[in-house]
Amino acid sequence: MNEFKRQHPISIFVSFFSNLRQMIITLIVLFFFGTSQTANPWFYGIAFSALLLFSFVSGFIHWLTFRYQLDDQELHIKHGLIFRKKRYIHQDRVQSIDLNAKLIQRLFNLVEVKIETAGGGEEPEFRIVALNKEEAGQIRYELLHRKAHFGENEEQLSPPGDSASWSIQEDEDKVKDEVDYRWGLSTKRLVIAAITSSGIGVAATFVAAIFSQIQQFVPESWYETAAGFVLQSSLILLISFVVLVLLIGWLIRIISTILKYGQFKIEKTGSDVVISRGVLEQRQLTINTQRITAIRLVQNMLRQPFGYASVYVETAGGGTKAEDLSTILIPLCKESEVRAHLQEIAPDFAFERPLTRLPKKSMKRYMVRLTVPVLLAAAVATYFVDYGAYSLIVIGFALGLGYWQYKDAGIGVNDHFLWMRTRKVVRTTVIVPRKRIQSVEITSNPLQRMDELTTIEVSILTSILGKTFSLKHLSENQAMKYFQWYSYEKEKQIRS
């Protein structure tokens, strides 16, 4: 692959639909505004057509000007019509390569290539949206495996530019034969993961937004009759409506989770872990275990009582916005199985993690911090709203959640790792290697200082912004102990 190439022409339509999705909010506003006005309906049709034409021309120009070249463990990219850019991505900077096949790519047996590098932002640093599988496999192999797999014998391979005599499939088959560990998400676990997935609130909000637009599509007399019936209905009927919205949101989350994590499997070869998943949109992500900066164990309130957890990995430059710039390693497993999985996938992270609990005086901080704003809101609701007194029930939930947060919080260290467990609503345990920590910071506000409490913050490299994990209301002695654990001043004193 020693000459510049263009993407498959189908990338024009991929870019077209991608641009269309980004403009969907504008189109929805135009649609609803246009249907509510009788004047100048052609204006909205012309505007809609102009947006479609602009999106198609933009995709064509991007295909025409975007070219790439893979040469001697380095990827060269040139793109741009007016402002032309050249980029070089060397093998050493690549953190992970993600191969995706959305519905339109699958129709033409193509894939999308995403390359993450250290220091990347929230989006992948480089993306080829439509490429045949053989070329995508060659790029992934060259940037991830070639140097590590053949090492000093690299000169025995065909030289760059002689790719015709070099079989990518043979090398990929060789890698597959050397797989050290395989694991797949069973159908039973997939269903449990779907039923217990979080994010129901977001889906329910989407459903409520759709209900709010129903008036646009039904006769006005029907809508007024229905609205009058609802306003005169009992509290029980209104609660039933809310439950219906939540139930629909829950069903949407179940379906989306099954589509997202269906056919999930892990294959580890050497230090490379390949994660494949997806029913409609198939993804294949490769990460190197030597570049893992942290591992998180996440348990929501539905999974924790049954002992289930999800495992995420943090890598420099990796992760997606949908997963909070993390990568899901295991969608669902028993908490008791996590150590065995880590022993196979990332053995450095497989060890017992005893926790040091927080002092009793921090309990009131957790409980008061949640209860005071809820109490004020309930007081306002009680004074101004009918049935507002029922909101006082929420105070009990706030007190319970605060106490739960205090009971679950803890921290621990060994010679090479620090781990912290916290809870907002979901319980999270983060394990961070000492050598991957960017900084440790201790802070305290005046209220904390009254009780000699403080907050510890640990920062790691993930994206260009990094990520910080914090644990509130440690005693000052505890915080200083972990601060000194990280400080290199102690090592200098020992050596001196």
Side-chain angles (χ1 to χ4, degrees), residues 107-128:
L107 291 174
F108 295 91
N109 201 28
L110 303 173
V111 294
E112 178 186 30
V113 181
K114 297 180 180 178
I115 300 177
E116 303 278 2
T117 62
E122 293 185 351
E123 295 295 332
E125 186 161 355
F126 177 71
R127 185 198 307 262
I128 303 177

